[in-house]
Amino acid sequence: MYRYFVQPQINQLSHAVVGFETLIRQDQDGHWRLPENFESISIDTQLDLLRDAIKTLGFSCTIAINLNRAQFTNIHIIRSLIMFHQEFRGTQLVAELTEQVLLAPHARNAILRSAELLASGGVQLSLDDVGTGENQLNQIRPLLAFTTEIKFAMQNFRQEGRAALIPEKLREWKGVADLYALRLVVEGIETPEDEQILNTINIPLRQGYFYQKPHPIFEETALNYQISFDDRQDGCSCY
């Protein structure tokens, strides 16, 4: 049995939820855990769960579905997402490419073809974990023509022992986002210090435990997810 958890993305300037990332979980012995094999979950199952999520959160929202590289280069999945977007035109669907892109020659054509198809079908593309591993600008640059959003994961830099580089790298990627007219979403925000860094650099779109942890979708609308900035959750390093 599967279920979507959601984590809101907030706009610090308006103090409002602007979208949700969906995170699929599997019931294992009464506990909701990460599935062992994401590719074994059919796209039909995922889209059925997404339909339920949209009906609960409200149709006029932005909602992201994660795809690894194998899923992203599966044309059946890409076409299913486009058809789903046509079914729910009031909802902005975002395909979030979660694995390192690495536009090597053997993968370049398949990845670019999927990105172009999504763009032509009205599905937005988000590139996760920019600035980490192989997801550097030179590697992802060919995709940027089809990309709407890039995501910078603060937690990756902490886990790699490079937390001191976060402000510098954020400024670099903000420059990239401005140059290519992309949304820049920063995730992994856990502490007031993290938030202050983003305030200083003027990056409003944010996601992380500091605001709200991923949680099951209940019978609420998106309006119920407005964040009270006096009732934020404590930072948590178990991202």
Side-chain angles (χ1 to χ4, degrees), residues 93-150:
L93 182 62
V94 179
E96 186 170 325
L97 182 53
T98 59
E99 288 188 355
Q100 294 178 344
V101 177
L102 185 59
L103 282 176
H106 69 277
R108 180 187 298 266
N109 290 339
I111 291 175
L112 289 176
R113 179 179 59 176
S114 293
E116 186 173 8
L117 276 174
L118 285 174
S120 66
V123 179
Q124 295 185 1
L125 173 60
S126 174
L127 301 181
D128 200 11
D129 296 339
V130 295
T132 300
E134 296 163 342
N135 278 4
Q136 305 302 323
L137 180 58
N138 287 340
Q139 295 291 350
I140 67 171
R141 195 190 303 273
L143 271 175
L144 295 183
F146 310 109
T147 299
T148 303
E149 173 184 286
I150 55 177

